[in-house]
Amino acid sequence: MKKITRIDKSSEGTALKEKLRVAAYCRVSTDSEEQLVSLETQKLHYEAYIKANPNWEFAGLYYDEGISGTKKEKRSELLRLISDCEHKKIDFIVTKSISRFARNTTDCLELVRKLVDLGVYIYFEKENLNTKSMESELMLSILSGLAESESVSIAENNKWSVQRRFQNGTYKISYPPYGYDYVDGEMVVNKEQAEVVKLIFSEVLSGKGTQKIAEELIQRGSPTKRGGKWTSTTIRGILSNEKYVGDVILQKTYTDSHFNRHTNRGEKDQYYIKNHHEAIISREDFDAVELLINQRGKEKGIEKGSDKYQNRYPFSGKIICSECGSTFKRRVHSCGNNKYIAWCCSKHLSQPAECTMLFTREKDVEFAFVTMMNKLIFGRKFILKPLLDGLRGMSKSDSLLRIKELEKLIEKNAEQKEMLVKLMAKGYLEPALFNKENNELQMEADNYRQQQETLTHAINGELSKVQEVSRLLKFTNKAEMLNAFDGELFSEYVEKIVVFSRTEIGFQLKCGITLRERM
């Protein structure tokens, strides 16, 4: 007769088993004192909670302060958590609830699927939901959908509350501007900062530009509101802020239904409160500065509210440094009694040690463009015609055929999912097996759609290039040799200029080719 003896599992082997690396994620949606206390409580709780489990190893605490949960892109710590999961530093995540993790259903499901693919699972404490053992994504989808609805409801209630406070004049400015502090719920003048504000207005009235003022404030060591760096944009913001005369305009911005913030250009009501707080600047000086800025704008062809710094000159925003990737800024240089326009790398201007690219004269760039266009006009048959024939000759039939195949595969995938649901409903499938098969089919469908989208974009991109080359060829067929720079012609055909050195630049045309010219 056979004798069977059980050999107990080795306690030594169990001891050698690796601990699960567990991290926690916390978030509060505002930076108020009460909310930050809540965040501190969450941090202490989860650190103790993880360390109390002998099978767990504390892998870190990730937390976002004062950030809304409606969009994952705005939460740096959440993104860092995902990155660490991708680098195999974390095995398991603990968080308070689905609403703390994400209030957007799409983001929640996308993040959970991504982590599951990485072999990392999440435990939602409030819902008692573990993504490793849950029967289906359906429950997570429902709960995260409720969290998103809750977020929308809270947002709408907050908007109504804010509107009421706008109307009755009890709204509290969320962040007082430079020159003011909050004391007992009231905006009061910060005397040290107020002196800087007065200096800025005085310097502008004496004729100085905003960039020059910013540079002088940096040299003086005057601190900004948040410890950053003075810029011409910061100065312009101060000069146009009505709060410095003691008034307030409420609802300068608004949030749409997708939680995107916009400048209010008349889409929503605004509320003007006069003599809301103590003024730093007199109304006469404020109005004088506004008139002066508007006059300078007219002289330089700037329209208020337009994309002035991108469309002001033909080269604005289009000259790129090949060394650091920064855009070039327009400057007026002096050589003795002569003045000339130059374009300078913005990084070289602010941090010359980090970029050595020197300035380029505007006249040289214009001359290089004229030379390049004349070469195209003269050699169109040898440059543009073969390019156009090559683009037209590229067969798109393979791509179109693959797109049709993917459409059939997507249809077949949908049929399989439908059959899976029917089998589950009739009790022929275990929930765990249904969940596994359904997830695989979903991943397969997502892959097919991604391939389809990539192929479609590729085809559209090729068609766009064909149209641009054809348009340029038609122009060169009829055009005569250029004698001078034409800004409209430049904007019509050039995407950007890449500066390689003081003597060489490249014109990247909208048709996709880059032509180098020496200067």
Side-chain angles (χ1 to χ4, degrees), residues 251-254 261-270 303-308:
Q251 196 153 262
K252 290 181 179 179
T253 62
Y254 67 95
R261 185 159 288 279
H262 303 277
T263 299
N264 186 0
R265 304 190 188 279
E267 295 87 353
K268 303 286 183 181
D269 292 337
Q270 290 187 328
E303 291 182 23
K304 191 174 181 179
S306 65
D307 297 332
K308 53 187 178 181

PDB file of all heavy atoms in Angstrom, residues 251-254 261-270 303-308:
ATOM      1  N   GLN A 251     -14.888  88.325 -12.130  1.00  0.00           N
ATOM      2  CA  GLN A 251     -15.120  87.367 -13.210  1.00  0.00           C
ATOM      3  C   GLN A 251     -14.390  87.765 -14.496  1.00  0.00           C
ATOM      4  O   GLN A 251     -14.967  87.877 -15.577  1.00  0.00           O
ATOM      5  CB  GLN A 251     -16.615  87.158 -13.494  1.00  0.00           C
ATOM      6  CG  GLN A 251     -16.894  85.920 -14.324  1.00  0.00           C
ATOM      7  CD  GLN A 251     -18.282  85.319 -14.094  1.00  0.00           C
ATOM      8  OE1 GLN A 251     -18.455  84.375 -13.353  1.00  0.00           O
ATOM      9  NE2 GLN A 251     -19.262  85.896 -14.762  1.00  0.00           N
ATOM     10  N   LYS A 252     -13.066  87.963 -14.348  1.00  0.00           N
ATOM     11  CA  LYS A 252     -12.238  88.212 -15.531  1.00  0.00           C
ATOM     12  C   LYS A 252     -12.037  86.925 -16.317  1.00  0.00           C
ATOM     13  O   LYS A 252     -11.722  86.957 -17.506  1.00  0.00           O
ATOM     14  CB  LYS A 252     -10.875  88.765 -15.105  1.00  0.00           C
ATOM     15  CG  LYS A 252     -10.915  90.184 -14.554  1.00  0.00           C
ATOM     16  CD  LYS A 252      -9.516  90.638 -14.180  1.00  0.00           C
ATOM     17  CE  LYS A 252      -9.509  92.058 -13.658  1.00  0.00           C
ATOM     18  NZ  LYS A 252      -8.154  92.499 -13.262  1.00  0.00           N
ATOM     19  N   THR A 253     -12.150  85.789 -15.632  1.00  0.00           N
ATOM     20  CA  THR A 253     -12.035  84.483 -16.287  1.00  0.00           C
ATOM     21  C   THR A 253     -13.218  83.613 -15.874  1.00  0.00           C
ATOM     22  O   THR A 253     -13.935  83.937 -14.914  1.00  0.00           O
ATOM     23  CB  THR A 253     -10.728  83.766 -15.884  1.00  0.00           C
ATOM     24  OG1 THR A 253     -10.735  83.530 -14.464  1.00  0.00           O
ATOM     25  CG2 THR A 253      -9.512  84.593 -16.249  1.00  0.00           C
ATOM     26  N   TYR A 254     -13.412  82.512 -16.593  1.00  0.00           N
ATOM     27  CA  TYR A 254     -14.483  81.569 -16.239  1.00  0.00           C
ATOM     28  C   TYR A 254     -14.070  80.164 -16.654  1.00  0.00           C
ATOM     29  O   TYR A 254     -13.162  79.981 -17.483  1.00  0.00           O
ATOM     30  CB  TYR A 254     -15.803  81.953 -16.909  1.00  0.00           C
ATOM     31  CG  TYR A 254     -15.798  81.816 -18.421  1.00  0.00           C
ATOM     32  CD1 TYR A 254     -16.269  80.657 -19.042  1.00  0.00           C
ATOM     33  CD2 TYR A 254     -15.303  82.838 -19.233  1.00  0.00           C
ATOM     34  CE1 TYR A 254     -16.248  80.527 -20.424  1.00  0.00           C
ATOM     35  CE2 TYR A 254     -15.275  82.717 -20.606  1.00  0.00           C
ATOM     36  CZ  TYR A 254     -15.754  81.552 -21.204  1.00  0.00           C
ATOM     37  OH  TYR A 254     -15.726  81.415 -22.566  1.00  0.00           O
ATOM     38  N   ARG A 261     -10.227  76.714 -18.307  1.00  0.00           N
ATOM     39  CA  ARG A 261     -10.369  78.133 -17.945  1.00  0.00           C
ATOM     40  C   ARG A 261     -10.141  79.021 -19.165  1.00  0.00           C
ATOM     41  O   ARG A 261      -9.257  78.762 -19.975  1.00  0.00           O
ATOM     42  CB  ARG A 261      -9.378  78.491 -16.829  1.00  0.00           C
ATOM     43  CG  ARG A 261      -9.538  79.917 -16.313  1.00  0.00           C
ATOM     44  CD  ARG A 261      -8.938  80.069 -14.944  1.00  0.00           C
ATOM     45  NE  ARG A 261      -9.745  79.413 -13.934  1.00  0.00           N
ATOM     46  CZ  ARG A 261     -10.842  79.928 -13.373  1.00  0.00           C
ATOM     47  NH1 ARG A 261     -11.262  81.119 -13.744  1.00  0.00           N
ATOM     48  NH2 ARG A 261     -11.505  79.262 -12.460  1.00  0.00           N
ATOM     49  N   HIS A 262     -10.980  80.076 -19.291  1.00  0.00           N
ATOM     50  CA  HIS A 262     -10.896  80.999 -20.422  1.00  0.00           C
ATOM     51  C   HIS A 262     -10.918  82.444 -19.910  1.00  0.00           C
ATOM     52  O   HIS A 262     -11.485  82.731 -18.848  1.00  0.00           O
ATOM     53  CB  HIS A 262     -12.079  80.809 -21.376  1.00  0.00           C
ATOM     54  CG  HIS A 262     -12.227  79.419 -21.902  1.00  0.00           C
ATOM     55  ND1 HIS A 262     -11.509  78.945 -22.981  1.00  0.00           N
ATOM     56  CD2 HIS A 262     -13.001  78.387 -21.478  1.00  0.00           C
ATOM     57  CE1 HIS A 262     -11.848  77.689 -23.208  1.00  0.00           C
ATOM     58  NE2 HIS A 262     -12.740  77.319 -22.309  1.00  0.00           N
ATOM     59  N   THR A 263     -10.333  83.342 -20.698  1.00  0.00           N
ATOM     60  CA  THR A 263     -10.469  84.769 -20.416  1.00  0.00           C
ATOM     61  C   THR A 263     -11.875  85.208 -20.800  1.00  0.00           C
ATOM     62  O   THR A 263     -12.365  84.859 -21.871  1.00  0.00           O
ATOM     63  CB  THR A 263      -9.434  85.579 -21.218  1.00  0.00           C
ATOM     64  OG1 THR A 263      -8.123  85.155 -20.833  1.00  0.00           O
ATOM     65  CG2 THR A 263      -9.568  87.069 -20.950  1.00  0.00           C
ATOM     66  N   ASN A 264     -12.532  85.944 -19.930  1.00  0.00           N
ATOM     67  CA  ASN A 264     -13.901  86.399 -20.180  1.00  0.00           C
ATOM     68  C   ASN A 264     -13.887  87.590 -21.125  1.00  0.00           C
ATOM     69  O   ASN A 264     -13.491  88.696 -20.748  1.00  0.00           O
ATOM     70  CB  ASN A 264     -14.567  86.766 -18.853  1.00  0.00           C
ATOM     71  CG  ASN A 264     -16.039  87.102 -19.017  1.00  0.00           C
ATOM     72  OD1 ASN A 264     -16.583  87.071 -20.119  1.00  0.00           O
ATOM     73  ND2 ASN A 264     -16.695  87.419 -17.921  1.00  0.00           N
ATOM     74  N   ARG A 265     -14.277  87.352 -22.351  1.00  0.00           N
ATOM     75  CA  ARG A 265     -14.335  88.422 -23.357  1.00  0.00           C
ATOM     76  C   ARG A 265     -15.786  88.783 -23.678  1.00  0.00           C
ATOM     77  O   ARG A 265     -16.133  89.080 -24.814  1.00  0.00           O
ATOM     78  CB  ARG A 265     -13.589  88.003 -24.620  1.00  0.00           C
ATOM     79  CG  ARG A 265     -12.138  87.610 -24.374  1.00  0.00           C
ATOM     80  CD  ARG A 265     -11.375  87.428 -25.669  1.00  0.00           C
ATOM     81  NE  ARG A 265     -10.052  86.878 -25.451  1.00  0.00           N
ATOM     82  CZ  ARG A 265      -8.990  87.599 -25.071  1.00  0.00           C
ATOM     83  NH1 ARG A 265      -9.124  88.897 -24.870  1.00  0.00           N
ATOM     84  NH2 ARG A 265      -7.809  87.022 -24.893  1.00  0.00           N
ATOM     85  N   GLY A 266     -16.630  88.732 -22.665  1.00  0.00           N
ATOM     86  CA  GLY A 266     -18.038  89.084 -22.841  1.00  0.00           C
ATOM     87  C   GLY A 266     -18.970  87.892 -22.797  1.00  0.00           C
ATOM     88  O   GLY A 266     -20.191  88.052 -22.868  1.00  0.00           O
ATOM     89  N   GLU A 267     -18.395  86.670 -22.672  1.00  0.00           N
ATOM     90  CA  GLU A 267     -19.243  85.470 -22.613  1.00  0.00           C
ATOM     91  C   GLU A 267     -20.041  85.412 -21.303  1.00  0.00           C
ATOM     92  O   GLU A 267     -21.133  84.861 -21.259  1.00  0.00           O
ATOM     93  CB  GLU A 267     -18.389  84.205 -22.731  1.00  0.00           C
ATOM     94  CG  GLU A 267     -17.672  84.021 -24.059  1.00  0.00           C
ATOM     95  CD  GLU A 267     -16.326  84.712 -24.107  1.00  0.00           C
ATOM     96  OE1 GLU A 267     -15.997  85.451 -23.154  1.00  0.00           O
ATOM     97  OE2 GLU A 267     -15.604  84.520 -25.110  1.00  0.00           O
ATOM     98  N   LYS A 268     -19.475  85.992 -20.228  1.00  0.00           N
ATOM     99  CA  LYS A 268     -20.121  85.994 -18.917  1.00  0.00           C
ATOM    100  C   LYS A 268     -20.221  87.427 -18.401  1.00  0.00           C
ATOM    101  O   LYS A 268     -19.460  88.316 -18.815  1.00  0.00           O
ATOM    102  CB  LYS A 268     -19.313  85.153 -17.910  1.00  0.00           C
ATOM    103  CG  LYS A 268     -19.086  83.701 -18.325  1.00  0.00           C
ATOM    104  CD  LYS A 268     -20.344  82.880 -18.194  1.00  0.00           C
ATOM    105  CE  LYS A 268     -20.079  81.419 -18.548  1.00  0.00           C
ATOM    106  NZ  LYS A 268     -21.290  80.587 -18.450  1.00  0.00           N
ATOM    107  N   ASP A 269     -21.160  87.651 -17.466  1.00  0.00           N
ATOM    108  CA  ASP A 269     -21.282  88.969 -16.842  1.00  0.00           C
ATOM    109  C   ASP A 269     -20.049  89.272 -16.011  1.00  0.00           C
ATOM    110  O   ASP A 269     -19.445  88.368 -15.421  1.00  0.00           O
ATOM    111  CB  ASP A 269     -22.518  89.019 -15.933  1.00  0.00           C
ATOM    112  CG  ASP A 269     -23.819  88.953 -16.718  1.00  0.00           C
ATOM    113  OD1 ASP A 269     -23.798  89.303 -17.910  1.00  0.00           O
ATOM    114  OD2 ASP A 269     -24.843  88.552 -16.141  1.00  0.00           O
ATOM    115  N   GLN A 270     -19.667  90.544 -15.969  1.00  0.00           N
ATOM    116  CA  GLN A 270     -18.603  90.985 -15.086  1.00  0.00           C
ATOM    117  C   GLN A 270     -19.173  91.994 -14.093  1.00  0.00           C
ATOM    118  O   GLN A 270     -20.218  92.604 -14.339  1.00  0.00           O
ATOM    119  CB  GLN A 270     -17.455  91.613 -15.882  1.00  0.00           C
ATOM    120  CG  GLN A 270     -16.658  90.620 -16.700  1.00  0.00           C
ATOM    121  CD  GLN A 270     -15.422  91.248 -17.349  1.00  0.00           C
ATOM    122  OE1 GLN A 270     -15.426  92.416 -17.698  1.00  0.00           O
ATOM    123  NE2 GLN A 270     -14.374  90.453 -17.492  1.00  0.00           N
ATOM    124  N   GLU A 303      -2.483  95.583 -31.708  1.00  0.00           N
ATOM    125  CA  GLU A 303      -3.885  95.708 -31.348  1.00  0.00           C
ATOM    126  C   GLU A 303      -4.123  94.972 -30.041  1.00  0.00           C
ATOM    127  O   GLU A 303      -3.744  93.829 -29.884  1.00  0.00           O
ATOM    128  CB  GLU A 303      -4.786  95.111 -32.441  1.00  0.00           C
ATOM    129  CG  GLU A 303      -4.790  95.914 -33.712  1.00  0.00           C
ATOM    130  CD  GLU A 303      -5.741  95.309 -34.727  1.00  0.00           C
ATOM    131  OE1 GLU A 303      -6.662  94.587 -34.307  1.00  0.00           O
ATOM    132  OE2 GLU A 303      -5.562  95.556 -35.916  1.00  0.00           O
ATOM    133  N   LYS A 304      -4.781  95.659 -29.103  1.00  0.00           N
ATOM    134  CA  LYS A 304      -5.046  95.048 -27.802  1.00  0.00           C
ATOM    135  C   LYS A 304      -5.949  93.836 -27.958  1.00  0.00           C
ATOM    136  O   LYS A 304      -6.953  93.874 -28.661  1.00  0.00           O
ATOM    137  CB  LYS A 304      -5.731  96.075 -26.881  1.00  0.00           C
ATOM    138  CG  LYS A 304      -5.795  95.622 -25.433  1.00  0.00           C
ATOM    139  CD  LYS A 304      -6.332  96.727 -24.559  1.00  0.00           C
ATOM    140  CE  LYS A 304      -6.372  96.295 -23.108  1.00  0.00           C
ATOM    141  NZ  LYS A 304      -6.878  97.349 -22.215  1.00  0.00           N
ATOM    142  N   GLY A 305      -5.558  92.728 -27.296  1.00  0.00           N
ATOM    143  CA  GLY A 305      -6.356  91.507 -27.344  1.00  0.00           C
ATOM    144  C   GLY A 305      -6.019  90.598 -28.496  1.00  0.00           C
ATOM    145  O   GLY A 305      -6.531  89.496 -28.602  1.00  0.00           O
ATOM    146  N   SER A 306      -5.136  91.026 -29.399  1.00  0.00           N
ATOM    147  CA  SER A 306      -4.753  90.179 -30.534  1.00  0.00           C
ATOM    148  C   SER A 306      -3.512  89.380 -30.191  1.00  0.00           C
ATOM    149  O   SER A 306      -2.899  89.561 -29.152  1.00  0.00           O
ATOM    150  CB  SER A 306      -4.476  91.047 -31.768  1.00  0.00           C
ATOM    151  OG  SER A 306      -3.345  91.866 -31.535  1.00  0.00           O
ATOM    152  N   ASP A 307      -3.129  88.477 -31.084  1.00  0.00           N
ATOM    153  CA  ASP A 307      -1.893  87.711 -30.883  1.00  0.00           C
ATOM    154  C   ASP A 307      -0.711  88.597 -31.275  1.00  0.00           C
ATOM    155  O   ASP A 307       0.032  88.319 -32.212  1.00  0.00           O
ATOM    156  CB  ASP A 307      -1.901  86.437 -31.747  1.00  0.00           C
ATOM    157  CG  ASP A 307      -3.031  85.518 -31.349  1.00  0.00           C
ATOM    158  OD1 ASP A 307      -3.431  85.563 -30.176  1.00  0.00           O
ATOM    159  OD2 ASP A 307      -3.497  84.768 -32.219  1.00  0.00           O
ATOM    160  N   LYS A 308      -0.546  89.698 -30.521  1.00  0.00           N
ATOM    161  CA  LYS A 308       0.365  90.749 -30.954  1.00  0.00           C
ATOM    162  C   LYS A 308       1.813  90.321 -31.066  1.00  0.00           C
ATOM    163  O   LYS A 308       2.523  90.719 -31.967  1.00  0.00           O
ATOM    164  CB  LYS A 308       0.247  91.949 -30.009  1.00  0.00           C
ATOM    165  CG  LYS A 308       0.415  91.607 -28.542  1.00  0.00           C
ATOM    166  CD  LYS A 308       0.115  92.826 -27.687  1.00  0.00           C
ATOM    167  CE  LYS A 308       0.222  92.485 -26.199  1.00  0.00           C
ATOM    168  NZ  LYS A 308      -0.085  93.622 -25.349  1.00  0.00           N
TER     169      LYS A 308
END
